[in-house]
Amino acid sequence: MIPEIRRQFNESFSNEKYEALLAEIERDFPTQLDFRIAETPVFVPQSLKIKLLQACNDIIDTLVKDDFKAKTARAIPANQDVPNEDAHPNFLAVDFAVCHDEKGELTPQLIELQGFPSLFGYQWYLGQKYKKFFFSPKNFSQYFNRLNMASYVEHMKKVLLGGEKAENVILLEIYPEKQKTRLDFEISKQLWGIEPVCYTKIKKEGRKLYYEKDGRKIEIKRIYNRLIFDDLLQNFPDLETEFKMTDDVDVKWVTHPNWFFRISKFTLPLLNSPFVPKSYYLSDLKEYPTDLENYVLKPLFSFAGSGVKLNFTKEDLDAIEDKENYLIQRKVKYEPVIEDTDGNLIKTEIRLLFAWEDSAPRPRLVTNLARLSRGEMIGVNFNKNFDWVGGSCAFFED
């Protein structure tokens, strides 16, 4: 995206450096890396950065409106409504495809957004590894709002711990040691002292929750929630646990599970911005657009891209019985803009990551992640057996 920077990076790149980076991660965290790291970071020019920031402001303007909760009440499934919802999520992730506009200039287009945390620990770690092993230009940063490597960690600590002792804050997952994101859990533990705790290991006494560590029973006061209901329902439908996520308990959720539904694909039709493709709830359409080939069909209540259809017909839409659970979104054309060392061009998606303190009126943009793809869609299933694809980190021009 910045030709001179890309040229310098590619000239300095070698497979030996890439293998050395992977080897260091394995030494730091043996057997914990379970997803592909791209060979390159993404270097974002200031012109695209400005558009990304404007796009996020447009989106957040909708999220902070007084009527947002009323408009998204239907997003929360009745059997997954968790008590004690707070005023806003503590974390927000916003995914943009990098595209070209009608003038041929780089522009972001929203793909998805989540009222849910992402790889806040791992990205801090990965950014450092890219800078250590590869060409790192001056005046580029993975952080925003005057944060740096150290102040980012401190800011995240404030949001995660909320003034509590680290041992009273847990990272909640189902069998965290088996999750592909377990490397992020380990880094989060090192940075902020938050113990990854399995859903099955939590004990409940009245409205209090506890976990055991080193033979001690420790009260849980805050839950850094990384557990997705869909994961439980699809993969562990018969799981019996002492604590249920829908229990009324005396803890602070970080982020509260209801925000996973409120700020999601469900939110897309509510947004209005030149950087947000038009979206419609299927149940609201009296007539379908005549150019359905330019739309993608998405189930409202799924994750990790499951159920998305890139090609469908009017008859396919007519056959859907629960139309209230689907939307159509105008397709986005990812523009291949990153050149590898062989001259091939690669698509990229940039996820901007926000942290939102309890008392703050708006979330604060803190860092990012990026993903590179040669396939039809972003994601592992579309990029098997390719190089220069996978998870990455973006460095933004100051």
PDB file of all heavy atoms in Angstrom, residues 351-366:
ATOM      1  N   ARG A 351      -8.591  -5.263  11.455  1.00  0.00           N
ATOM      2  CA  ARG A 351      -9.505  -5.205  12.604  1.00  0.00           C
ATOM      3  C   ARG A 351      -8.981  -4.164  13.584  1.00  0.00           C
ATOM      4  O   ARG A 351      -7.861  -4.272  14.094  1.00  0.00           O
ATOM      5  CB  ARG A 351      -9.599  -6.564  13.293  1.00  0.00           C
ATOM      6  CG  ARG A 351     -10.393  -6.550  14.605  1.00  0.00           C
ATOM      7  CD  ARG A 351     -10.540  -7.938  15.205  1.00  0.00           C
ATOM      8  NE  ARG A 351     -11.375  -8.772  14.343  1.00  0.00           N
ATOM      9  CZ  ARG A 351     -11.671 -10.046  14.609  1.00  0.00           C
ATOM     10  NH1 ARG A 351     -11.163 -10.629  15.677  1.00  0.00           N
ATOM     11  NH2 ARG A 351     -12.436 -10.733  13.776  1.00  0.00           N
ATOM     12  N   LEU A 352      -9.783  -3.150  13.837  1.00  0.00           N
ATOM     13  CA  LEU A 352      -9.435  -2.130  14.810  1.00  0.00           C
ATOM     14  C   LEU A 352     -10.027  -2.513  16.162  1.00  0.00           C
ATOM     15  O   LEU A 352     -11.206  -2.876  16.258  1.00  0.00           O
ATOM     16  CB  LEU A 352      -9.939  -0.764  14.359  1.00  0.00           C
ATOM     17  CG  LEU A 352      -9.294  -0.246  13.055  1.00  0.00           C
ATOM     18  CD1 LEU A 352      -9.836   1.125  12.702  1.00  0.00           C
ATOM     19  CD2 LEU A 352      -7.777  -0.198  13.178  1.00  0.00           C
ATOM     20  N   LEU A 353      -9.208  -2.419  17.209  1.00  0.00           N
ATOM     21  CA  LEU A 353      -9.564  -2.918  18.528  1.00  0.00           C
ATOM     22  C   LEU A 353      -9.711  -1.770  19.515  1.00  0.00           C
ATOM     23  O   LEU A 353      -8.796  -0.948  19.674  1.00  0.00           O
ATOM     24  CB  LEU A 353      -8.499  -3.898  19.023  1.00  0.00           C
ATOM     25  CG  LEU A 353      -8.255  -5.122  18.125  1.00  0.00           C
ATOM     26  CD1 LEU A 353      -7.160  -5.996  18.709  1.00  0.00           C
ATOM     27  CD2 LEU A 353      -9.536  -5.927  17.952  1.00  0.00           C
ATOM     28  N   PHE A 354     -10.847  -1.738  20.181  1.00  0.00           N
ATOM     29  CA  PHE A 354     -11.184  -0.676  21.123  1.00  0.00           C
ATOM     30  C   PHE A 354     -11.312  -1.240  22.533  1.00  0.00           C
ATOM     31  O   PHE A 354     -11.803  -2.352  22.731  1.00  0.00           O
ATOM     32  CB  PHE A 354     -12.520  -0.028  20.759  1.00  0.00           C
ATOM     33  CG  PHE A 354     -12.520   0.739  19.462  1.00  0.00           C
ATOM     34  CD1 PHE A 354     -12.600   0.079  18.246  1.00  0.00           C
ATOM     35  CD2 PHE A 354     -12.466   2.128  19.460  1.00  0.00           C
ATOM     36  CE1 PHE A 354     -12.617   0.779  17.045  1.00  0.00           C
ATOM     37  CE2 PHE A 354     -12.480   2.834  18.272  1.00  0.00           C
ATOM     38  CZ  PHE A 354     -12.551   2.156  17.061  1.00  0.00           C
ATOM     39  N   ALA A 355     -10.902  -0.439  23.506  1.00  0.00           N
ATOM     40  CA  ALA A 355     -11.161  -0.719  24.920  1.00  0.00           C
ATOM     41  C   ALA A 355     -12.034   0.413  25.461  1.00  0.00           C
ATOM     42  O   ALA A 355     -11.828   1.582  25.131  1.00  0.00           O
ATOM     43  CB  ALA A 355      -9.855  -0.815  25.702  1.00  0.00           C
ATOM     44  N   TRP A 356     -13.004   0.059  26.308  1.00  0.00           N
ATOM     45  CA  TRP A 356     -14.022   1.022  26.732  1.00  0.00           C
ATOM     46  C   TRP A 356     -14.135   0.966  28.248  1.00  0.00           C
ATOM     47  O   TRP A 356     -14.733   0.037  28.800  1.00  0.00           O
ATOM     48  CB  TRP A 356     -15.350   0.672  26.081  1.00  0.00           C
ATOM     49  CG  TRP A 356     -16.360   1.786  26.030  1.00  0.00           C
ATOM     50  CD1 TRP A 356     -16.409   2.898  26.814  1.00  0.00           C
ATOM     51  CD2 TRP A 356     -17.478   1.871  25.139  1.00  0.00           C
ATOM     52  NE1 TRP A 356     -17.494   3.676  26.469  1.00  0.00           N
ATOM     53  CE2 TRP A 356     -18.155   3.074  25.440  1.00  0.00           C
ATOM     54  CE3 TRP A 356     -17.968   1.051  24.132  1.00  0.00           C
ATOM     55  CZ2 TRP A 356     -19.318   3.455  24.767  1.00  0.00           C
ATOM     56  CZ3 TRP A 356     -19.118   1.433  23.450  1.00  0.00           C
ATOM     57  CH2 TRP A 356     -19.783   2.620  23.764  1.00  0.00           C
ATOM     58  N   GLU A 357     -13.555   1.942  28.921  1.00  0.00           N
ATOM     59  CA  GLU A 357     -13.663   1.996  30.374  1.00  0.00           C
ATOM     60  C   GLU A 357     -15.114   2.203  30.788  1.00  0.00           C
ATOM     61  O   GLU A 357     -15.904   2.825  30.076  1.00  0.00           O
ATOM     62  CB  GLU A 357     -12.789   3.122  30.918  1.00  0.00           C
ATOM     63  CG  GLU A 357     -11.291   2.895  30.748  1.00  0.00           C
ATOM     64  CD  GLU A 357     -10.470   3.971  31.422  1.00  0.00           C
ATOM     65  OE1 GLU A 357     -10.297   3.902  32.655  1.00  0.00           O
ATOM     66  OE2 GLU A 357     -10.005   4.882  30.706  1.00  0.00           O
ATOM     67  N   ASP A 358     -15.453   1.708  31.981  1.00  0.00           N
ATOM     68  CA  ASP A 358     -16.841   1.735  32.434  1.00  0.00           C
ATOM     69  C   ASP A 358     -17.422   3.141  32.431  1.00  0.00           C
ATOM     70  O   ASP A 358     -18.591   3.342  32.073  1.00  0.00           O
ATOM     71  CB  ASP A 358     -16.942   1.145  33.849  1.00  0.00           C
ATOM     72  CG  ASP A 358     -16.669  -0.350  33.876  1.00  0.00           C
ATOM     73  OD1 ASP A 358     -16.857  -1.001  32.827  1.00  0.00           O
ATOM     74  OD2 ASP A 358     -16.276  -0.862  34.937  1.00  0.00           O
ATOM     75  N   SER A 359     -16.630   4.127  32.821  1.00  0.00           N
ATOM     76  CA  SER A 359     -17.145   5.490  32.974  1.00  0.00           C
ATOM     77  C   SER A 359     -16.975   6.352  31.724  1.00  0.00           C
ATOM     78  O   SER A 359     -17.406   7.512  31.712  1.00  0.00           O
ATOM     79  CB  SER A 359     -16.435   6.173  34.144  1.00  0.00           C
ATOM     80  OG  SER A 359     -15.026   6.215  33.911  1.00  0.00           O
ATOM     81  N   ALA A 360     -16.357   5.817  30.672  1.00  0.00           N
ATOM     82  CA  ALA A 360     -16.055   6.622  29.478  1.00  0.00           C
ATOM     83  C   ALA A 360     -17.276   6.735  28.569  1.00  0.00           C
ATOM     84  O   ALA A 360     -18.024   5.761  28.399  1.00  0.00           O
ATOM     85  CB  ALA A 360     -14.899   6.010  28.712  1.00  0.00           C
ATOM     86  N   PRO A 361     -17.488   7.900  27.945  1.00  0.00           N
ATOM     87  CA  PRO A 361     -18.635   8.059  27.051  1.00  0.00           C
ATOM     88  C   PRO A 361     -18.484   7.327  25.722  1.00  0.00           C
ATOM     89  O   PRO A 361     -19.477   6.986  25.084  1.00  0.00           O
ATOM     90  CB  PRO A 361     -18.720   9.574  26.836  1.00  0.00           C
ATOM     91  CG  PRO A 361     -17.328  10.057  27.084  1.00  0.00           C
ATOM     92  CD  PRO A 361     -16.760   9.170  28.143  1.00  0.00           C
ATOM     93  N   ARG A 362     -17.239   7.101  25.289  1.00  0.00           N
ATOM     94  CA  ARG A 362     -16.982   6.427  24.028  1.00  0.00           C
ATOM     95  C   ARG A 362     -15.787   5.478  24.198  1.00  0.00           C
ATOM     96  O   ARG A 362     -14.931   5.699  25.074  1.00  0.00           O
ATOM     97  CB  ARG A 362     -16.672   7.434  22.902  1.00  0.00           C
ATOM     98  CG  ARG A 362     -17.860   8.311  22.527  1.00  0.00           C
ATOM     99  CD  ARG A 362     -17.438   9.405  21.568  1.00  0.00           C
ATOM    100  NE  ARG A 362     -17.205   8.932  20.209  1.00  0.00           N
ATOM    101  CZ  ARG A 362     -18.140   8.908  19.263  1.00  0.00           C
ATOM    102  NH1 ARG A 362     -19.370   9.304  19.537  1.00  0.00           N
ATOM    103  NH2 ARG A 362     -17.840   8.494  18.047  1.00  0.00           N
ATOM    104  N   PRO A 363     -15.697   4.455  23.356  1.00  0.00           N
ATOM    105  CA  PRO A 363     -14.546   3.560  23.433  1.00  0.00           C
ATOM    106  C   PRO A 363     -13.286   4.241  22.923  1.00  0.00           C
ATOM    107  O   PRO A 363     -13.349   5.213  22.166  1.00  0.00           O
ATOM    108  CB  PRO A 363     -14.947   2.390  22.538  1.00  0.00           C
ATOM    109  CG  PRO A 363     -15.887   2.989  21.537  1.00  0.00           C
ATOM    110  CD  PRO A 363     -16.635   4.050  22.291  1.00  0.00           C
ATOM    111  N   ARG A 364     -12.140   3.693  23.308  1.00  0.00           N
ATOM    112  CA  ARG A 364     -10.841   4.237  22.899  1.00  0.00           C
ATOM    113  C   ARG A 364     -10.153   3.234  21.980  1.00  0.00           C
ATOM    114  O   ARG A 364      -9.973   2.073  22.333  1.00  0.00           O
ATOM    115  CB  ARG A 364      -9.961   4.485  24.126  1.00  0.00           C
ATOM    116  CG  ARG A 364      -8.617   5.158  23.816  1.00  0.00           C
ATOM    117  CD  ARG A 364      -7.808   5.334  25.093  1.00  0.00           C
ATOM    118  NE  ARG A 364      -6.609   6.145  24.866  1.00  0.00           N
ATOM    119  CZ  ARG A 364      -5.682   6.373  25.787  1.00  0.00           C
ATOM    120  NH1 ARG A 364      -5.816   5.862  27.007  1.00  0.00           N
ATOM    121  NH2 ARG A 364      -4.627   7.122  25.506  1.00  0.00           N
ATOM    122  N   LEU A 365      -9.786   3.678  20.784  1.00  0.00           N
ATOM    123  CA  LEU A 365      -9.040   2.834  19.859  1.00  0.00           C
ATOM    124  C   LEU A 365      -7.638   2.624  20.412  1.00  0.00           C
ATOM    125  O   LEU A 365      -6.931   3.584  20.715  1.00  0.00           O
ATOM    126  CB  LEU A 365      -8.987   3.501  18.490  1.00  0.00           C
ATOM    127  CG  LEU A 365      -8.230   2.767  17.377  1.00  0.00           C
ATOM    128  CD1 LEU A 365      -8.789   1.376  17.125  1.00  0.00           C
ATOM    129  CD2 LEU A 365      -8.263   3.594  16.089  1.00  0.00           C
ATOM    130  N   VAL A 366      -7.240   1.335  20.536  1.00  0.00           N
ATOM    131  CA  VAL A 366      -5.958   1.060  21.191  1.00  0.00           C
ATOM    132  C   VAL A 366      -4.951   0.353  20.278  1.00  0.00           C
ATOM    133  O   VAL A 366      -3.776   0.686  20.267  1.00  0.00           O
ATOM    134  CB  VAL A 366      -6.153   0.267  22.497  1.00  0.00           C
ATOM    135  CG1 VAL A 366      -6.824   1.142  23.553  1.00  0.00           C
ATOM    136  CG2 VAL A 366      -6.929  -1.028  22.289  1.00  0.00           C
TER     137      VAL A 366
END
